[in-house]
Amino acid sequence: MGAIITLSILALVVLYLGLFKAKALLLPVSILGFLVAIGFLLNDWTADKGPLFSGMVHFDHYAIAFSVLCIVVTLCIFIISKGYFDEGDRLQSIIHY
C-alpha cells in the first residue's frame, strides 16, 4: 500500500517540478521515488497481510513481483532517456535565439 501512495505523491511532485521548469530535478527525483516504491514493495513481500478494503485489494507475491517488474522497466526507460533531459536544455536555448 505504501508503494501506491509513494507513486501517487511522486506523480504530483514531478508535475510540479515540470510546472516550475526544474527540468534538472525531474530525473533524480523520479529515480529516487521509484526506488522508494520498490523498497515498500520488498517490505510488503515479507509482511503477511490479508485482503484490504473488504477484499477489494490483495497483495500476493505475484502482484508484488509484477509491480517490481513494472517499476524496474520504467527505471530502465528513464535511465536510457537521460539524454533527452540533457538535450532538452540545449534545444530550448537554440529555439529562444
Side-chain angles (χ1 to χ4, degrees):
M1 192 67 175
I4 295 173
I5 295 169
T6 302
L7 292 174
S8 300
I9 292 172
L10 176 65
L12 293 173
V13 169
V14 168
L15 282 173
Y16 278 112
L17 287 174
L19 178 68
F20 294 123
K21 310 240 187 264
K23 198 169 186 181
L25 292 175
L26 284 175
L27 188 63
V29 168
S30 299
I31 290 174
L32 180 66
F34 288 137
L35 292 176
V36 168
I38 287 175
F40 276 119
L41 287 169
L42 293 178
N43 186 32
D44 287 344
W45 184 276
T46 58
D48 187 25
K49 294 182 180 178
L52 301 173
F53 301 114
S54 300
M56 290 189 295
V57 179
H58 186 77
F59 293 106
D60 57 353
H61 292 295
Y62 178 74
I64 293 172
F66 185 74
S67 297
V68 169
L69 176 70
C70 289
I71 293 174
V72 167
V73 168
T74 305
L75 270 171
C76 291
I77 292 170
F78 272 54
I79 291 170
I80 290 170
S81 67
K82 182 184 181 308
Y84 166 76
F85 292 103
D86 295 338
E87 187 176 304
D89 293 333
R90 186 177 60 84
L91 289 176
Q92 191 173 16
S93 64
I94 292 172
I95 292 171
H96 282 98
Y97 285 113

